[in-house]
Amino acid sequence: MDHYTTLGVTQDAIPEVIKAAYRAMSQKYHPDRNQGDALAKARMQAINAAYAVLSCPDERARYDRTLSAAESHNKSSRQTYADGEPTRDFSSNSSEGEEYEQTPYKSDNPMGSGPMPVAPEPIRLLRSGEYAALIVFTLITVLIFAKGQAGQTRGQPPATPATAAALIPVPPAPPRRDNQPAPLSIPAAKNSAVSSIKVLKAPNGAPWPTTSGYLEGYDSSDYGGSIIDLVNTNTKSAFFVKLVNTARNAKHASRHLFLGSRQGFSIVNIAPGSYFLAYQDLMSGGYYRTDAFNLSQKPSPQDPTRLQFTTVRFEFSARSGGYLDSHAISAAEFHGAP
């Protein structure tokens, strides 16, 4: 630290400014005000040495020339000084008010006595351990932020209106073919009661199949997601069954199928609506129908984005003069005659 910096003044400061700075610094660091403070004592010694040089015109001029030469040397020299090289100054150990004789510090400085130029302190790079600590700190910060963001939205799933689920399209399913197995867990009879069938041929002119299934030659309609399970395990008869939408007559039934004796079958992929079953007992030739029933679809209580459909079970149970939960109808009504 040069003398001007010690007193906190610029190199072109006038004597009055130097004197005022010296008085202010002396009051701050005087030993009487800082008893037992070794740092304040050393600072006061540097202040006295700086003022002794700068307060004397000749000494100040010689000191300025030394500073100027050192500055020129710093600009022209490319030498890098090793860390820890001592800095030269003209500090004195004299106390306040004592006379002193300045003795320049002898060194290898090519400019002779005076402050030794000091190389700038190199930038210190982070050590490997410091890099690791920095990475860990960054990761922790990111995790804390992400956890906070998740906590703001946890437990608040976006509300899904129940009506929106009803708009989910249900893709049409192809009608079940005659050779498809029945979806019910009812073992199909090896031989249907074809020998006792009074109606020997299907409406399409072909013999009745031996297993339950949709009949060839009929269009299917009203596709959705509901299911009707037909159970015929308690009768010896086979049936020609129609699923009829109440908005239309039996001539335009939604499904046409054969239900064998001691067998079961599921009508699948049915749209919401009002329906009834019309069927012919192929053993007696009689015609019957059930009361109307409704099939519906609605959002699932567990997941509003999914639909819940109706499943209906109808069991053919014979009773005197007909079948349970059914009543007899005419052939014209069964075939949908106007």
Side-chain angles (χ1 to χ4, degrees):
M1 181 182 296
D2 63 75
H3 294 330
Y4 292 103
T5 303
T6 300
L7 295 180
V9 297
T10 60
Q11 193 169 349
D12 58 352
I14 61 176
E16 289 78 8
V17 172
I18 293 174
K19 186 175 183 179
Y22 171 72
R23 288 179 177 176
M25 299 290 281
S26 297
Q27 292 178 1
K28 182 178 181 180
Y29 294 101
H30 197 279
D32 293 343
R33 293 191 174 186
N34 300 275
Q35 295 183 3
D37 189 343
L39 182 61
K41 180 179 180 181
R43 188 66 183 273
M44 190 66 219
Q45 290 176 350
I47 292 170
N48 288 334
Y51 183 69
V53 173
L54 300 184
S55 62
C56 176
D58 294 337
E59 290 288 342
R60 181 179 179 181
R62 185 164 44 253
Y63 182 74
D64 288 345
R65 288 193 297 272
T66 303
L67 287 181
S68 178
E71 184 178 356
S72 298
H73 172 73
N74 287 338
K75 289 182 180 180
S76 60
S77 175
R78 295 182 179 275
Q79 179 181 1
T80 302
Y81 287 84
D83 291 344
E85 182 72 12
T87 301
R88 316 304 187 196
D89 60 36
F90 295 97
S91 300
S92 171
N93 293 327
S94 61
S95 60
E96 182 180 6
E98 296 179 349
E99 296 293 330
Y100 78 100
E101 180 178 355
Q102 182 175 334
T103 303
Y105 185 90
K106 302 297 182 180
S107 70
D108 296 331
N109 187 351
M111 300 305 297
S113 62
M116 177 69 73
V118 180
E121 183 178 356
I123 299 175
R124 187 178 69 83
L125 298 178
L126 292 177
R127 299 184 178 91
S128 59
E130 293 172 328
Y131 272 119
L134 180 60
I135 293 174
V136 171
F137 175 80
T138 303
L139 291 176
I140 293 175
T141 303
V142 171
L143 290 175
I144 292 175
F145 177 79
K147 184 177 180 180
Q149 291 293 102
Q152 294 178 2
T153 57
R154 185 180 297 120
Q156 301 178 5
T160 304
T163 54
L167 300 178
I168 299 175
V170 179
R176 202 177 283 272
R177 313 302 293 179
D178 286 359
N179 57 356
Q180 287 181 298
L184 291 177
S185 58
I186 299 173
K190 294 183 179 180
N191 295 303
S192 180
V194 292
S195 58
S196 60
I197 288 180
K198 180 179 180 179
V199 183
L200 299 180
K201 291 186 178 181
N204 57 10
W208 295 106
T210 58
T211 57
S212 302
Y214 293 111
L215 293 175
E216 296 285 353
Y218 294 98
D219 293 330
S220 297
S221 59
D222 297 316
Y223 284 106
S226 293
I227 299 173
I228 300 175
D229 290 333
L230 303 179
V231 181
N232 184 29
T233 57
N234 298 321
T235 73
K236 296 180 180 179
S237 294
F239 299 92
F240 172 32
V241 183
K242 294 181 180 181
L243 174 64
V244 184
N245 191 318
T246 57
R248 301 184 298 270
N249 61 24
K251 184 178 181 179
H252 304 286
S254 302
R255 306 286 196 281
H256 299 75
L257 61 109
F258 171 76
L259 181 64
S261 175
R262 310 294 185 182
Q263 297 181 19
F265 186 77
S266 291
I267 307 173
V268 297
N269 301 320
I270 311 170
S274 178
Y275 298 89
F276 65 89
L277 294 173
Y279 56 94
Q280 182 183 18
D281 182 340
L282 300 181
M283 181 181 292
S284 67
Y287 299 97
Y288 305 90
R289 62 155 287 180
T290 66
D291 293 333
F293 53 87
N294 291 320
L295 301 178
S296 63
Q297 66 182 33
K298 60 183 179 180
S300 169
Q302 289 77 24
D303 184 356
T305 63
R306 299 177 64 87
L307 292 176
Q308 191 174 65
F309 300 95
T310 306
T311 298
V312 173
R313 177 186 173 92
F314 181 77
E315 185 170 353
F316 291 81
S317 298
R319 67 175 185 177
S320 177
Y323 291 90
L324 192 66
D325 297 324
S326 302
H327 60 272
I329 59 174
S330 66
E333 185 177 356
F334 180 79
H335 293 295

